[in-house]
């Protein structure tokens, strides 16, 4: 028996649908629902579902054509049951009369306040205008004027109807849509009568039945028509603003709502946590100091450690100086070198690196939002689901590449396409062509980030390509430095999330080392203490960084790192940073002592490293009356000896020549150069390029004077500090005690802010008067009337050289346990050498528009009819991808733990609708491949 095609539609479509069906010669079984249901979406949904269920129960249909659109979302959640549904992707029936949503939008732009009528509308609304004016709608309830008069009187009835009919003011035009379905002068007259009664403009619009024709003949989903397979519901895709088909989720009994248990991927095995390396060298080239430590990983003990000032113009100089302080016999035992560095962060902030050509494949108009040059937009577009709309043009890519190389001198490329993280096929194709044509380095957005934000991925890829030569140069130079110390060991690098990658991978993905220093510090705190729930505070020379350890995990910054004004999607730890450190500048200004955020070299270091500094100190003592308002001009400058390819101005050259003779205070330099004031000294470029170093009073100097820390010239620091006491009119010992307390107070406040960071904006503490009052009471230990106290339930782990002098008192104020592990001063370097290779990636499975399931994140975005097949494919692909990245990072580990999380919604009838499954895979391993591939260690590892 031949199956029937059923129609369930709004009655206003009856005339046009029957007319089209007749012209097509198709036999349809109709059920028309009363007009106006779009005003009550819930009622529309209920009646539509009931009609579908009745038809499905007959068992003689092949499909059901739905004569509605979104219609106030009354169709959303409607279940297809056993038969496929066919529904147009339109806002409402007006688009069907006009031929599509675009025609509707064109009319709306031309005349927004239009009331549309058609032959079908007039057929359904056969009441005269006078009759219609006697009733009005209040929500879903129809109200008769005569009933109101009887109940409340004519005056109330008139007032009520005036209010209920105020909708008429929203329209200025009545438009009759002439579709040709039924010629009737009476219908046009009815529309014209309404326009005259409501004082609207009247117009006849030529309609179009093409979309109705497509709806009646569609066999599969298209851009205009949606076919909803059986056991699916009608959904609404907010991204594309159109209707979609979502499967009803009927799980097997063996499946659970979520799959939190790890699922091994192929070729998995037991994880071996026994260290392959016995002795490692950890290096942290931080913002102020470079730490180096030789660490025994099997006994978890420090064999030798050292610190040196970081030389930002050439990190290897500072690294070499630190290595010279280490015991030579211990260096010979080193089997692996791990480096954390601020190079990537500094390079981005300082806008350094090679020139990159940005290649974009966006929808029209989106590229203008990326404020970067040089960039080029090429053919090759995907829709939001990763489906190809326009293929790439190989010849266009080759021509564009040659043009950018010849006219814009680019030496690398960054490629990012819209939806590239969902389907990377276009990005990979463009990369292949560029590499073949130019031989230059190419960085793709999907390789570095799985975020859907096309612009962020483009910027991340650009930054990665830009700084590649700088990190490559550092690693090559570092290998040479290791050779100078007879260290024949492979090098690994710490990423911004605290995990490791081999140097070969780091050269290709340097952007991932953003904020690797703070990440290494947290890893070091975890390793040294074994505490899995704590606040971690790292006080260095320039900054204090705080992070939270919870259940052995440190949260990542979900938005991605923001470095130098560039929003990236590099995975980095959620770390709070403030400009407070051992080398923070202490000034006296307007009767107060501001501390930081500017970093300077300590005066004690100046006194030891630069003998001529005493003449500069003598000049300050002789002119002390100049600094009573501010000590800014008391800062002393020295020449670092760094070399930069800069074209200096004559005044810059003069300043460098004077500083090469001896150190000078800013005030004395003004006298020597004969400029009008210190603001006329061109110091910025010289400092930014590390040609000169600024020195001043710091907390490190105060600790020298009190005898708590002794490394450099204590007496020189004391003489300089005495000048501050004279200027401020205070006893020097009391001034020093106050300043040390103030550093502790600032640290306490920063720790409290980090504690509050997950709940509120903690910086509001600085502006809220009540908060300030309570905070002052807490920090002062109370007053005569009351005392504010606090108890933190988790300990505070302190690392960094200066932290031990301030944390104990800060933690006491907060009612917290202070943990100061042994070797806290080099915890960053220990964190670097004790970290592991960790690879985390995810894929997504979503319903397809035409049924089936799409696997996003794989080239081509494959579609599977059966969910279990899609799930199995995604797990295997995810596992293989993570294993490949692990090998690139330097680990042979194969065990991948995969977890699944499903997102579901419920229909009004209680059915579960599947929206997506996110599969997350994690691999953790040792950098054993780095060892095996290095000539000096391969034999030992194999043995």
């Amino acid at each position: 028996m031949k199956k029937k095609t059923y129609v369930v539609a709004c009655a206003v479509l009856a005339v046009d649908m029957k007319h089209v069906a007749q012209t097509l010669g198709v036999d349809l079984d109709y059920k028309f629902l009363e007009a106006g249901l779009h005003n009550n979406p819930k009622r529309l949904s209920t009646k539509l579902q009931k009609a579908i269920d009745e038809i499905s129960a007959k068992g003689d249909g092949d499909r059901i054509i739905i004569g509605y659109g979104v219609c106030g979302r009354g169709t959303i959640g409607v279940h297809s049951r056993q038969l496929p549904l066919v529904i147009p992707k339109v806002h409402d029936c007006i688009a069907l009369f006009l031929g599509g949503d675009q025609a509707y939008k064109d009319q709306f732009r031309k005349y927004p306040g239009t009331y549309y009528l058609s032959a079908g509308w007039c057929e359904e609304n056969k009441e005269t205008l006078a009759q219609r004016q006697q009733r009005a709608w209040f929500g879903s309830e129809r109200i008769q004027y005569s009933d109101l008069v009887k109940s409340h009187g004519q005056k109330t009835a008139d007032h009520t109807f005036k209010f209920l009919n105020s909708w008429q003011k929203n329209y200025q035009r009545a438009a009759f849509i002439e579709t040709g379905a039924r010629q009737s002068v009476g219908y046009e007259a009815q529309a014209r009568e309404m326009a005259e009664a409501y004082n609207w403009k009247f117009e006849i619009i030529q309609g179009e039945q093409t979309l109705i024709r497509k709806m009646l003949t569609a066999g599969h989903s298209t851009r205009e028509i949606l076919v909803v397979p059986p056991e699916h519901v009608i959904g609404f895709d907010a991204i594309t603003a159109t209707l979609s088909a979502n499967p009803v989720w009927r799980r097997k009994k063996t499946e659970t709502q979520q799959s939190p248990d790890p699922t091994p991927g192929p070729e998995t095995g037991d994880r071996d946590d026994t260290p392959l390396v016995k002795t490692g060298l950890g290096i942290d080239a931080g913002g102020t100091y470079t730490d180096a430590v030789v660490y025994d990983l099997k006994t978890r003990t420090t064999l030798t450690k050292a610190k040196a000032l970081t030389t930002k113009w050439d990190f290897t100089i500072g690294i070499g100086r630190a290595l010279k302080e280490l015991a030579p016999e211990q260096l010979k035992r080193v089997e692996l070198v791990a480096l954390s560095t601020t190079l990537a962060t500094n390079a981005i902030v300082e806008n350094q690196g090679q020139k990159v050509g940005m290649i974009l494949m966006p929808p029209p108009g989106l590229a203008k939002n990326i404020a970067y040059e040089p960039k080029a937009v090429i053919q090759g577009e995907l829709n939001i689901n990763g489906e190809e709309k326009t293929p790439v043009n190989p010849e266009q890519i080759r021509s564009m590449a040659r043009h950018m190389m010849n006219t814009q001198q680019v030496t690398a490329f960054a490629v990012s396409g819209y939806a590239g993280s969902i389907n990377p096929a276009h990005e990979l194709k463009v990369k292949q062509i560029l590499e073949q044509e130019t031989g230059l380095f190419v960085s793709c957005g999907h390789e570095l980030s799985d975020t859907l934000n096309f612009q962020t991925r483009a910027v991340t890829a650009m930054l990665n390509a830009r700084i590649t030569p700088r990190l490559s140069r550092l690693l090559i130079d570092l290998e040479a430095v290791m050779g100078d110390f007879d260290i024949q060991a492979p090098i690994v690098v710490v990423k911004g999330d605290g995990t490791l990658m081999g140097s070969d991978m780091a050269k290709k993905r340097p952007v991932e080392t953003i904020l690797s220093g703070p990440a290494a510090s947290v890893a070091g705190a975890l390793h040294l203490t074994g505490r899995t729930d704590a606040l971690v505070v790292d006080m260095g020379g320039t900054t204090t960084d705080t992070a939270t350890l919870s259940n052995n995990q440190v949260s990542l910054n979900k938005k991605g790192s923001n470095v130098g004004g560039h929003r990236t999607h590099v995975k980095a730890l959620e770390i709070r940073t403030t400009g407070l450190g051992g080398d923070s500048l202490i000034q006296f200004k307007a009767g107060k002592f501001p501390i930081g955020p500017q970093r300077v070299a300590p005066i004690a270091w100046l006194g030891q490293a630069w003998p001529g500094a005493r003449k500069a100190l003598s000049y300050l003592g002789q002119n002390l009356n100049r600094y009573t308002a501010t000590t800014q001009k008391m800062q002393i400058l020295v020449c670092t000896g760094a070399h930069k390819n800069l074209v200096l101005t004559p005044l810059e050259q003069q300043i460098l020549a004077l500083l090469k003779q001896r150190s000078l205070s800013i005030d004395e330099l003004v006298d020597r150069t004969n400029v009008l004031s210190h603001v006329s000294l061109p110091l910025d470029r010289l400092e930014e390029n590390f040609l000169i170093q600024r020195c001043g009073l710091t907390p490190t100097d105060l600790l020298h004077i009190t005898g708590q820390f002794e490394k450099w010239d204590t007496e020189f620091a004391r003489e300089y500090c005495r000048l501050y006491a004279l200027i401020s009119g205070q006893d020097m010992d009391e001034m020093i005690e106050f300043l040390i307390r103030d550093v502790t107070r600032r640290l306490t406040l920063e720790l409290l802010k980090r504690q509050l960071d997950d709940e509120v904006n903690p910086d509001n503490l600085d502006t809220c008067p009540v908060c300030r009052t309570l905070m002052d009471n807490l920090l002062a230990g109370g007053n005569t009337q009351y005392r504010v106290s606090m108890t933190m339930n988790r300990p505070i782990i302190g690392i960094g050289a200066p932290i031990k002098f301030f944390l104990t008192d800060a933690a006491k104020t907060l009612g917290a346990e202070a943990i100061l592990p042994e070797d806290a001063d080099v915890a960053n370097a220990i964190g670097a050498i004790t970290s592991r290779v960790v690879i985390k990636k995810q894929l997504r499975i979503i319903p397809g528009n035409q049924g089936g399931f799409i696997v996003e994140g794989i080239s081509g975005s494959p579609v599977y009819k059966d969910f279990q097949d899609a799930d199995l494919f995604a797990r295997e692909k995810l596992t293989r991808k993570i294993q490949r990245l692990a090998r690139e990072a330097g680990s042979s580990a194969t065990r991948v733990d995969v977890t699944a999380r499903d997102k579901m919604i419920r229909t009004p009838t209680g059915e579960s609708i599947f929206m997506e499954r996110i599969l997350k895979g994690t691999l953790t391993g040792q950098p054993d491949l780095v060892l095996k591939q290095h000539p000096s260690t391969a034999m030992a590892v194999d043995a």
Side-chain angles (χ1 to χ4, degrees):
M1 183 178 67
K2 185 179 179 181
K3 296 284 187 178
K4 294 182 180 180
T5 299
Y6 286 90
V7 173
V8 180
C10 177
V12 300
L13 284 169
V15 170
D16 288 272
M17 291 189 78
K18 289 179 178 180
H19 177 262
V20 173
Q22 185 178 2
T23 60
L24 292 173
V26 295
D27 185 24
L28 302 174
D29 199 315
Y30 297 98
K31 181 177 180 61
F32 292 108
L33 305 180
E34 70 268 26
L37 286 176
H38 64 279
N39 293 319
N40 190 335
K42 186 174 181 181
R43 189 172 177 217
L44 168 59
S45 179
T46 300
K47 299 199 76 169
L48 183 57
Q49 188 65 67
K50 182 181 178 182
I52 291 170
D53 292 346
E54 289 174 351
I55 293 171
S56 298
K58 293 179 181 180
D60 62 350
D62 67 341
R63 58 183 173 142
I64 304 174
I65 298 170
I66 305 298
Y68 286 95
V70 177
C71 294
R73 301 210 172 192
T75 58
I76 309 303
V78 170
H79 196 308
S80 60
R81 305 304 185 198
Q82 291 80 33
L83 296 178
L85 307 179
V86 181
I87 184 170
K89 296 179 182 179
V90 295
H91 182 71
D92 56 32
C93 61
I94 297 172
L96 289 170
F97 293 134
L98 292 173
D101 264 341
Q102 187 56 52
Y104 193 180
K105 291 175 183 177
D106 292 342
Q107 284 292 330
F108 182 83
R109 280 194 294 268
K110 180 181 176 182
Y111 224 117
T114 298
Y115 193 97
Y116 294 94
L117 302 95
S118 68
W121 186 94
C122 295
E123 187 81 16
E124 178 67 7
N125 295 272
K126 293 181 177 179
E127 294 176 305
T128 66
L129 181 63
Q131 289 174 317
R132 287 199 300 274
Q133 288 176 332
Q134 292 297 308
R135 58 173 170 78
W137 290 90
F138 184 70
S140 60
E141 182 181 356
R142 188 167 72 170
I143 300 173
Q144 290 292 140
Y145 177 78
S146 58
D147 293 340
L148 276 180
V149 173
K150 290 178 183 179
S151 302
H152 303 285
Q154 185 174 347
K155 185 176 181 181
T156 300
D158 290 343
H159 181 76
T160 301
F161 260 58
K162 183 179 180 181
F163 169 74
L164 292 177
N165 288 317
S166 60
W167 60 270
Q168 299 160 10
K169 298 178 181 178
N170 297 325
Y171 298 96
Q172 293 84 41
R173 179 179 71 154
F176 181 78
I177 305 173
E178 178 57 74
T179 63
R182 183 171 299 174
Q183 297 293 333
S184 174
V185 178
Y187 295 145
E188 293 180 20
Q190 188 175 341
R192 192 183 301 275
E193 180 187 8
M194 176 180 281
E196 292 174 355
Y198 298 142
N199 197 27
W200 295 341
K201 177 183 176 181
F202 176 73
E203 191 172 342
I204 297 175
I205 299 175
Q206 185 60 46
E208 174 63 60
Q209 293 180 328
T210 303
L211 191 54
I212 296 177
R213 187 176 297 108
K214 290 179 179 179
M215 178 175 64
L216 297 185
T217 58
H220 61 273
S221 292
T222 66
R223 188 166 57 89
E224 299 168 302
I225 305 295
L226 174 68
V227 176
V228 184
E231 294 301 313
H232 283 60
V233 298
I234 301 172
F236 185 77
D237 188 335
I239 296 176
T240 57
T242 189
L243 295 173
S244 62
N246 297 326
V248 174
W249 201 232
R250 302 195 184 281
R251 293 178 174 276
K252 295 180 180 179
K253 292 182 180 179
T254 56
E255 287 192 79
T256 56
Q257 181 66 17
Q258 294 180 356
S259 305
D261 297 327
T263 303
E267 299 182 10
T268 62
D270 293 334
R271 186 177 295 127
D272 184 7
D273 289 329
T274 304
L276 295 173
V277 174
K278 181 180 179 182
T279 307
L281 170 63
I283 299 172
D284 175 59
T288 306
Y289 293 97
T290 294
D291 301 341
V293 59
V294 178
Y295 195 75
D296 190 316
L297 285 99
K298 293 193 175 182
T299 62
R300 299 168 68 98
T301 56
T302 297
L303 302 177
T304 180
K305 62 183 180 180
K307 301 175 80 71
L309 285 171
T310 295
T311 49
K312 292 183 180 179
W313 63 93
D314 184 346
F315 281 88
T316 58
I317 296 175
I319 292 172
R321 289 171 181 171
L323 295 182
K324 284 181 181 178
E325 301 298 319
L326 298 176
E329 66 276 8
Q330 301 294 356
L331 284 176
K332 294 178 182 178
R333 299 171 55 183
V334 170
E335 303 165 66
L336 181 70
V337 179
L339 171 71
S340 67
T341 173
T342 61
L343 180 141
T345 308
N346 294 345
I348 292 172
V349 170
E350 294 157 17
N351 201 29
Q352 296 178 348
Q354 65 183 332
K355 194 168 187 179
V356 178
M358 184 182 285
I359 312 301
L360 304 174
M361 293 171 284
L366 195 57
K368 65 182 180 181
N369 297 326
I370 301 178
Y372 175 81
E373 293 295 341
K375 67 174 183 279
V377 175
I378 62 171
Q379 294 176 23
E381 185 181 344
L382 305 175
N383 66 17
I384 189 62
N385 295 320
E387 298 166 340
E388 185 176 79
K389 295 175 66 176
T390 308
V392 298
N393 182 337
E395 189 50 45
Q396 181 195 29
I397 297 168
R398 296 186 184 100
S399 175
M400 173 276 307
R402 290 191 295 268
H403 172 77
M404 296 184 88
M405 291 172 64
N406 295 333
T407 65
Q408 296 167 314
Q409 291 75 50
V410 304
T411 53
F413 292 96
V415 180
S416 184
Y418 185 76
S421 62
I422 295 174
N423 180 5
H426 278 183
E427 289 188 8
L428 290 170
K429 182 66 175 177
V430 174
K431 178 177 182 176
Q432 180 186 30
I433 295 170
L434 287 173
E435 288 178 337
Q436 291 174 348
E437 180 69 20
T438 69
L440 299 179
F441 179 80
V442 182
S443 179
C444 289
H446 80 272
E447 296 170 330
L448 302 164
S449 169
D450 52 17
T451 178
L452 294 176
N453 190 310
F454 152 76
Q455 298 172 51
T456 300
R457 283 187 289 106
V459 171
T460 304
M462 178 274 293
L463 294 174
N464 187 65
R466 195 172 82 187
I467 64 176
T468 294
R470 291 184 61 82
L471 189 60
S472 297
R473 183 76 260 163
L474 170 61
L475 293 172
I476 292 170
D477 290 346
L478 182 59
E479 290 172 359
V481 172
M482 295 299 110
D484 293 340
F485 287 88
D486 198 26
I487 300 173
Q488 304 298 322
I491 298 170
V492 291
V493 183
V494 180
K495 294 160 50 176
D497 61 359
T499 64
L500 295 178
M501 59 179 167
S503 60
D504 288 342
M505 188 179 193
K507 291 172 185 176
K508 298 176 183 177
R509 305 166 82 114
V511 75
E512 293 190 3
T513 66
I514 289 173
L515 302 177
S516 74
S521 71
V522 175
L526 180 61
H527 179 81
L528 290 173
T529 66
R531 304 296 283 265
T532 58
D533 287 274
L535 284 186
V536 178
V537 55
D538 178 8
M539 179 179 275
T542 307
T543 63
T544 292
D545 302 322
T546 50
T548 303
L549 268 173
S550 180
N551 296 322
N552 205 27
Q553 298 289 325
V554 184
S555 62
L556 299 178
N557 189 325
K558 296 178 181 178
K559 295 181 179 179
S561 308
N562 192 328
V563 182
H566 298 287
R567 170 61 68 188
T568 75
H569 204 258
V570 175
K571 292 179 180 177
L573 303 188
E574 185 71 56
I575 290 175
R576 181 180 172 86
T577 299
T578 190
L580 177 67
D583 294 349
S584 292
L585 174 63
I586 301 173
Q587 299 188 70
F588 180 73
K589 186 183 296 184
K592 296 183 178 180
F593 289 95
I595 302 178
Q598 183 179 6
R599 181 259 166 187
V600 294
I603 288 295
W605 170 81
L606 172 69
Q608 178 169 307
W610 304 88
R614 292 200 171 273
K615 292 183 179 179
L617 186 64
S618 176
Y619 177 91
L620 294 175
Q622 294 169 11
N623 297 278
L624 207 57
N625 61 314
R626 298 184 182 182
Y627 317 120
T628 53
T630 175
T631 57
Q632 183 177 6
K633 293 189 294 181
M634 288 178 64
Q635 297 162 38
I636 299 175
L637 302 173
V638 297
C639 182
T640 64
H643 299 284
K644 287 278 185 173
N645 294 324
L646 291 178
V647 178
L648 301 178
T649 66
L651 185 52
E652 287 173 331
Q653 292 176 356
Q654 183 185 5
I655 290 171
L656 271 184
L658 289 169
L659 293 178
K660 285 179 180 178
Q661 298 174 19
R662 72 167 174 87
S663 56
L664 298 169
S665 68
I666 292 176
D667 196 29
E668 188 174 5
L669 196 57
V670 171
D671 287 349
R672 294 287 194 95
T673 55
N674 294 316
V675 297
L676 293 176
S677 70
H678 71 282
V679 297
S680 302
L681 291 173
L683 303 178
D684 289 347
R685 275 208 318 156
L686 299 176
E687 287 189 86
E688 289 170 2
N689 289 279
F690 315 112
L691 297 175
I692 63 175
Q693 173 66 60
R694 192 180 294 247
C695 307
L697 186 66
T698 67
T700 299
D701 295 306
L702 304 181
L703 296 173
H704 272 78
I705 297 169
T706 60
Q708 294 172 271
F709 178 71
E710 294 182 7
K711 185 173 184 178
W712 297 302
D713 193 332
T714 299
E715 189 54 38
F716 191 80
R718 190 188 310 277
E719 291 177 22
Y720 187 88
C721 188
R722 185 176 292 112
L723 299 180
Y724 266 61
L726 291 172
I727 293 168
S728 64
Q730 297 190 32
D731 176 81
M732 188 174 75
D733 291 340
E734 292 179 357
M735 182 188 74
I736 292 173
E737 183 181 353
F738 167 80
L739 291 173
I740 290 177
R741 280 202 314 270
D742 196 36
V743 174
T744 303
R745 180 182 179 279
R746 291 168 187 260
L747 174 63
T748 306
L749 183 59
E750 189 60 24
L751 290 169
L752 179 58
K753 286 182 176 182
R754 186 62 189 86
Q755 177 63 46
L756 297 173
D757 215 5
D758 296 331
E759 303 175 54
V760 296
N761 180 1
D763 291 323
N764 288 339
L765 286 175
D766 300 328
T767 56
C768 168
V770 175
C771 299
R772 291 301 311 164
T773 300
L774 295 175
M775 281 301 307
D776 289 343
N777 185 283
L778 173 68
L779 296 171
N783 56 36
T784 56
Q785 281 78 39
Y786 66 97
R787 181 187 176 202
V788 175
S789 63
M790 180 177 181
T791 301
M792 286 181 59
N793 293 329
R794 53 186 170 187
I796 303 173
I797 303 172
I799 57 177
I803 194 65
K804 63 182 179 180
F805 305 109
F806 307 105
L807 181 59
T808 301
D809 289 341
K812 184 179 179 181
T813 300
L814 297 173
E817 176 192 1
I819 300 177
L820 293 164
E822 189 177 356
D823 298 323
D825 56 333
V826 290
N828 293 33
I830 292 174
I833 194 58
T834 57
S835 293
R836 286 175 166 262
V837 172
V838 179
I839 307 295
K840 295 182 179 182
K841 288 291 176 182
Q842 69 178 40
L843 295 178
R844 196 165 75 120
I845 304 173
I846 63 169
N849 285 335
Q850 301 181 40
F853 301 88
I854 301 172
V855 181
E856 292 187 346
I858 298 295
S859 185
S861 295
V863 180
Y864 285 83
K865 183 177 181 180
D866 182 76
F867 178 80
Q868 300 303 327
D869 292 339
D871 183 70
L872 180 61
F873 171 81
R875 287 175 186 267
E876 292 208 4
K877 278 292 185 180
L878 180 61
T879 298
R880 302 293 185 194
K881 182 177 183 179
I882 291 174
Q883 290 171 340
R884 176 179 58 79
L885 290 172
R887 289 193 295 272
E888 291 180 17
S891 178
S892 67
T894 58
R895 171 170 172 159
V896 179
D897 295 336
V898 179
T899 60
R901 184 173 295 275
D902 296 332
K903 181 179 179 182
M904 323 287 284
I905 62 172
R906 288 195 176 275
T907 67
T909 58
E911 300 279 5
S912 293
I913 303 173
F914 173 72
M915 300 300 293
E916 67 176 9
R917 167 171 283 187
I918 296 177
L919 293 170
K920 293 185 177 182
T922 303
L923 177 148
T924 301
Q926 300 185 61
D928 58 321
L929 285 183
V930 174
L931 296 167
K932 291 178 182 178
Q933 293 164 0
H934 196 273
S936 66
T937 56
M939 292 180 59
V941 172
D942 291 338

